[in-house]
């Protein structure tokens, strides 16, 4: 089992910045890719950004150039730096870890961007 604990969400004005953190514990040896997904009201959950243990990254087109995902393997923690936030970035952000047999999810953290 893998446990994911997120932190760092909140309310910010458009143009502002936030940093999300996700700390993993448990059977972390089984994890390769970690990432962030988000779900806005009435919409499907979507990938925001992902990073492998080797540091390869993948971003949604809507956040490229504004968001940066990074990973501290020694701390088993993944970060999402979000700059130039827009109201359309408002959503619950979920940390995800892909294990050998299943995906793991954090509890979610709310990000609200006011216009």
């Amino acid at each position: 089992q893998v446990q994911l604990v997120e932190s760092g969400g909140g309310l910010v004005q458009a143009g502002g910045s936030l940093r999300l953190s996700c700390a993993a514990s448990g059977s972390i040896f089984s994890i390769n890719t970690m990432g962030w997904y988000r779900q806005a009201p009435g919409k499907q959950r979507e990938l925001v950004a992902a990073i492998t243990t080797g540091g390869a990254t993948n971003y949604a087109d809507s956040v490229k150039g504004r968001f940066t995902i990074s990973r501290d393997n020694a701390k088993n923690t993944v970060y999402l730096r979000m700059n130039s936030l827009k109201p359309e970035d408002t959503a619950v952000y979920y940390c995800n870890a892909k294990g050998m047999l299943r995906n793991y999810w954090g509890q979610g953290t709310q990000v609200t961007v006011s216009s």
Side-chain angles (χ1 to χ4, degrees), residues 49-63:
I51 185 168
T52 67
T53 49
T57 58
N58 182 38
Y59 294 94
D61 288 342
S62 59
V63 306

Side-chain angles (χ1 to χ4, degrees), residues 9-112:
L11 173 65
V12 64
Q13 288 188 331
S17 299
L18 284 174
R19 189 181 80 156
L20 305 182
S21 300
C22 174
S25 61
S27 301
I28 54 177
F29 62 87
S30 67
I31 296 173
N32 180 7
T33 300
M34 294 186 70
W36 292 92
Y37 287 70
R38 67 186 181 187
Q39 188 167 18
K43 294 187 177 181
Q44 288 189 331
R45 191 173 297 189
E46 62 176 359
L47 174 69
V48 176
I51 185 168
T52 67
T53 49
T57 58
N58 182 38
Y59 294 94
D61 288 342
S62 59
V63 306
K64 284 181 180 177
R66 300 188 297 123
F67 291 11
T68 302
I69 190 169
S70 60
R71 183 170 180 170
D72 186 334
N73 289 327
K75 295 182 178 180
N76 302 314
T77 300
V78 64
Y79 305 96
L80 185 67
R81 177 69 180 180
M82 305 184 292
N83 295 328
S84 303
L85 282 160
K86 304 176 181 180
E88 51 264 43
D89 294 318
T90 295
V92 178
Y93 283 69
Y94 295 91
C95 181
N96 171 268
K98 297 190 185 302
M100 288 186 291
L101 298 178
R102 57 164 287 187
N103 282 332
Y104 298 91
W105 295 94
Q107 79 281 2
T109 185
Q110 177 71 45
V111 172
T112 303

